[in-house]
Amino acid sequence: MTSQPGPAASGARKSLRPAKPRWRETLGLLARNPTAAISAVLLVGIILVALFDEALAPAGPNDIDVGARLQPPSGEHLFGTDDLGRDIFSRVILGAAVSLRVGLLAVGIALVIGSVIGLLAGYYGRWVDDVLMRFMDMLFAFPAVLLAIAVLAVRGPGSGNTALAIGIVYIPIFARVTRASVLGVREEVYVRASRSVGASDFRILTRHVLPNAAPPIIVQASISLAFAVLAEAALSFLGLGTQPPNPSWGLMLAEGRGYLDLAWWLAFFPGMAIFLTVLCFNLLGDGLRDVLDPKQRTLMGSAGGENP
Amino acid sequence: MSADVLVSARGLEVHFPIRGQGLRKKGAGVLRAVDGVDLDILRGETLGLVGESGCGKSTLGNALLRLIPSTGGTVDFAGTDITKLSGRGLRELRRRAGMVFQDPFASLDPRRTVAQTVSEPLEVHGLRKGRQARAERVAELLELVGLDPAVAGRYPHEFSGGQRQRVGIARALAGEPDFLVCDEAIASLDVSVQAQVLNLLRRLQRQLGLTLLFISHDLSAVRHISDRIAVMYLGRVVEIGPAEAVGTDPQMPYTQALLSAVPLPHPALERKRKRIVLHGDVPSPSAVPSGCRFRTRCPYVFEPCDDVDPALQSVGAPGQLAACHLHGVVGTPATEPEGVTAKP
């Protein structure tokens, strides 16, 4: 009896494993995607570095030692020193905190406001859609850097205001991505089915529409984090973001530009830090998109040989 | 109206505006999906609703539950006109009347487990307090539709079409409804599974005393499950009566043609089967013919058909009604062309 496959019952009963919590299953699948897993590990590393920046930095970021200026990378100064003799390794570490904080804050602002606007516009349609999306179009029509400069001109420079400025610039992107995704989901039969059992709009939006519309938004968030880090660098480069002498990757890039032919390490290491962070966010975004699709999930699950 | 009528439609209309191109957005016409339907569904019966694609069957089913707003007429559900309900009354209707959808691959949210899907009506209507009570009720419902309660934690994509449809039925039953609309509920299933789901619906109908509106274009399935059958053509019910009478002795030429298209299982009978082949296409529901809407394809068309819109009249077996002038000219004369008349 035990070894004989039941003819009809086996179909329904073959994999009655207890359901794992969803987030653990997601993490497990993400771990099987090598690029996404490596990116996630690197990002966790970068975040840890940003959290414990003071403890990790071998020297103070603003310790000036004019005698040791423009030193190439060596055992003493891992990434060399800049035109004022400051240790670039320490400054890159402290810059991580600034860049990531600005990036996360900016995307957080854009994600929350943008996706709420997109959700309402896409779900209710008609005049709600027209009013909200025309407003988004207006915001979108401004050149991004110009809009950010305008915000910073009003609120004054600084990293908090830089985050706000970048966040505002990215709101229409999230609104559009969310709306497009919601337009597809709202016509699904399961949304009608949910309405047919009496679910309220709020319930339908939060339990059915948002979760099913989420994958493109999550991917967009991951990619936007990358762009926000770049935007922070650009604004700092222009002198509107982080103010010297505080280290930020973009600011260091700007300062190092003048020495490119003389001392390449001034711009190279902050540039690499930006490159690595942006790349990791992008690859993680791709990995998340695959994992968050439940159909993909079974394919990957069965390919991994989890089922008998 | 007698006391055992659960759902009653009078002059029900669902017209969709047709949006014109470019600047002429309004006034491009209306699509008469449901166009003056009178229908009584008796408590505890199974009413089969048949008709070809695009005749308004599904729209009618949705309008009876107010899932699509009607543009005219009334729908009475257990004594209240649901076309004017709002708020709490509408919620109560949603609990008391459920729907089983055609495509079981689309009607379940892929991101929610079977338990979450089936317990949604319980949460919405506050029918069971607490997780434990809801989980017990979900297990009960799954068992009722012939699924192992152990599958509650799994996602829809792990199931076959038939199993998914059972989940859909369990969801529709969760609110303990009186009335269930099955909108082509077996059309997307494999033939072998169709019979299982059909028998499940029949069993549930008897066990729970449900009133069922079974919408389908599959005449044999409808005859198998229904007590009465209603036939729709171009937005109107053209014949209704006991399943046996409509199935064997149809009084309306359209029903006759529809039935003659059903193949018979016995080879000798099948060889003798005479097919009534209709010519032409169904007219567009945005340009309904004057008089009898079937006259453009009817083999027996004669003089009054052009001018008089036939009403349902008693013919054949007791309880059988057909809208056809062959049984006597009864109906409203058309004073002006149908396409132009507009309701204020």
Side-chain angles (χ1 to χ4, degrees):
Chain A
M1 189 67 191
T2 44
S3 62
Q4 299 208 336
S10 66
R13 289 164 194 267
K14 70 175 173 195
S15 54
L16 280 183
R17 61 198 135 81
K20 268 191 256 176
R22 231 186 127 76
W23 61 271
R24 277 186 58 190
E25 201 182 343
T26 306
L27 275 186
L29 284 169
L30 203 61
R32 282 193 220 159
N33 178 343
T35 35
I38 292 170
S39 303
V41 168
L42 280 176
L43 281 173
V44 168
I46 293 170
I47 290 168
L48 283 177
V49 165
L51 282 176
F52 299 106
D53 50 355
E54 303 268 355
L56 286 169
N62 296 322
D63 293 353
I64 295 171
D65 180 5
V66 184
R69 64 196 293 262
L70 297 177
Q71 297 273 314
S74 66
E76 196 185 344
H77 297 290
L78 219 48
F79 290 176
T81 60
D82 67 4
D83 52 334
L84 296 173
R86 297 177 293 195
D87 182 42
I88 292 178
F89 183 61
S90 304
R91 286 176 67 78
V92 167
I93 287 176
L94 272 99
V98 175
S99 293
L100 285 183
R101 197 185 314 125
V102 170
L104 287 172
L105 204 58
V107 172
I109 292 169
L111 177 73
V112 171
I113 301 177
S115 50
V116 168
I117 290 176
L119 207 56
L120 296 177
Y123 184 72
Y124 288 105
R126 296 165 184 263
W127 66 267
V128 181
D129 187 27
D130 286 340
V131 170
L132 289 174
M133 291 323 283
R134 286 311 77 76
F135 182 63
M136 289 297 104
D137 287 346
M138 270 164 54
L139 215 52
F140 212 49
F142 281 105
V145 175
L146 193 67
L147 184 57
I149 289 173
V151 173
L152 288 170
V154 173
R155 311 232 349 143
S159 54
N161 287 341
T162 310
L164 181 69
I166 298 169
I168 290 174
V169 168
Y170 286 174
I171 286 173
I173 299 177
F174 279 93
R176 282 189 173 185
V177 168
T178 307
R179 174 178 174 271
S181 189
V182 168
L183 282 181
V185 174
R186 125 189 129 159
E187 300 300 331
E188 292 284 352
V189 183
Y190 55 76
V191 171
R192 276 207 292 142
S194 183
R195 201 170 293 138
S196 82
V197 300
S200 61
D201 280 352
F202 181 76
R203 187 189 176 88
I204 290 173
L205 277 172
T206 52
R207 305 275 173 105
H208 298 284
V209 176
L210 190 57
N212 282 289
I217 306 172
I218 292 171
V219 175
Q220 183 62 47
S222 180
I223 291 166
S224 289
L225 271 170
F227 279 108
V229 170
L230 284 177
E232 192 275 338
L235 288 170
S236 297
F237 185 92
L238 292 173
L240 290 163
T242 313
Q243 296 301 300
N246 292 327
S248 119
W249 294 340
L251 192 59
M252 292 168 74
L253 209 57
E255 290 167 350
R257 188 180 53 117
Y259 295 91
L260 264 184
D261 47 353
L262 201 68
W264 54 269
W265 54 91
L266 258 64
F268 177 79
F269 290 108
M272 281 306 289
I274 294 173
F275 164 75
L276 199 66
T277 310
V278 170
L279 185 68
C280 285
F281 275 127
N282 275 330
L283 292 177
L284 181 66
D286 280 355
L288 276 174
R289 182 186 43 208
D290 296 342
V291 167
L292 288 172
D293 185 348
K295 281 180 204 139
Q296 200 88 13
R297 194 173 265 216
T298 347
L299 292 178
M300 291 162 72
S302 44
E306 195 174 275
N307 293 334
Chain B
M1 203 35 57
S2 62
D4 55 355
V5 173
L6 181 65
V7 185
S8 167
R10 284 291 167 272
L12 187 64
E13 286 177 1
V14 181
H15 293 177
F16 297 108
I18 301 170
R19 283 184 65 156
Q21 297 287 309
L23 294 172
R24 267 188 78 244
K25 277 196 175 161
K26 280 173 188 158
V30 286
L31 189 140
R32 295 152 182 268
V34 174
D35 196 22
V37 164
D38 297 333
L39 187 66
D40 287 328
I41 303 174
L42 308 179
R43 195 180 285 276
E45 80 167 340
T46 299
L47 178 67
L49 185 60
V50 296
E52 58 201 299
S53 303
C55 71
K57 311 185 289 287
S58 286
T59 311
L60 176 60
N62 278 284
L64 288 178
L65 299 184
R66 226 186 102 176
L67 289 170
I68 293 177
S70 53
T71 49
T74 60
V75 179
D76 251 43
F77 182 87
T80 39
D81 182 3
I82 64 162
T83 56
K84 293 181 185 69
L85 281 182
S86 66
R88 184 179 297 177
L90 193 58
R91 282 238 324 260
E92 182 62 7
L93 170 71
R94 296 274 175 263
R95 185 190 71 72
R96 293 187 62 183
M99 184 134 186
V100 179
F101 293 85
Q102 171 174 358
D103 183 357
F105 288 87
S107 66
L108 304 179
D109 187 337
R111 288 184 190 278
R112 297 184 50 88
T113 62
V114 166
Q116 288 174 318
T117 295
V118 175
S119 73
E120 181 156 53
L122 304 178
E123 291 167 42
V124 167
H125 301 292
L127 294 176
R128 291 288 191 283
K129 302 289 179 206
R131 256 164 207 271
Q132 190 60 37
R134 280 199 295 271
E136 279 166 20
R137 174 69 176 145
V138 167
E140 209 177 287
L141 285 161
L142 290 177
E143 213 144 358
L144 187 65
V145 298
L147 287 172
D148 184 346
V151 303
R154 298 173 63 190
Y155 289 90
H157 63 85
E158 303 176 56
F159 294 91
S160 69
Q163 290 171 320
R164 281 161 165 250
Q165 196 57 298
R166 287 170 194 265
V167 175
I169 294 170
R171 166 176 57 193
L173 292 176
E176 294 171 43
D178 307 309
F179 182 44
L180 212 56
V181 174
C182 302
D183 185 5
E184 299 274 12
I186 59 165
S188 316
L189 304 174
D190 294 341
V191 178
S192 59
V193 181
Q194 282 188 353
Q196 291 174 17
V197 173
L198 205 60
N199 289 331
L200 170 69
L201 284 170
R202 196 159 66 163
R203 195 196 81 210
L204 290 170
Q205 189 264 331
R206 287 183 187 156
Q207 195 175 334
L208 305 172
L210 292 170
T211 304
L212 226 58
L213 178 65
F214 188 83
I215 302 172
S216 178
H217 58 259
D218 182 344
L219 277 164
S220 353
V222 167
R223 282 179 68 177
H224 177 71
I225 196 173
S226 305
D227 301 313
R228 290 197 303 151
I229 294 177
V231 182
M232 262 186 103
Y233 183 78
L234 213 57
R236 186 76 67 83
V237 171
V238 294
E239 178 156 9
I240 184 169
E244 187 59 30
V246 175
T248 54
D249 186 22
Q251 299 295 320
M252 160 85 196
Y254 176 65
T255 318
Q256 290 163 3
L258 209 59
L259 282 172
S260 80
V262 180
L264 300 171
H266 196 286
L269 292 175
E270 172 66 15
R271 245 173 275 125
K272 275 194 279 180
R273 180 164 70 99
K274 265 193 286 185
R275 289 210 54 191
I276 305 169
V277 180
L278 295 176
H279 295 284
D281 290 323
V282 189
S284 161
S286 58
V288 176
S290 67
C292 175
R293 50 195 66 209
F294 185 55
R295 71 179 163 84
T296 52
R297 300 169 78 198
C298 184
Y300 308 111
V301 66
F302 67 119
E303 191 210 325
C305 301
D306 279 355
D307 307 320
V308 185
D309 189 1
L312 286 168
Q313 54 178 312
S314 268
V315 283
Q320 190 171 5
L321 303 168
C324 182
H325 295 315
L326 289 171
H327 308 287
V329 180
V330 182
T332 22
T335 44
E336 44 190 331
E338 269 285 321
V340 184
T341 44
K343 286 214 144 193

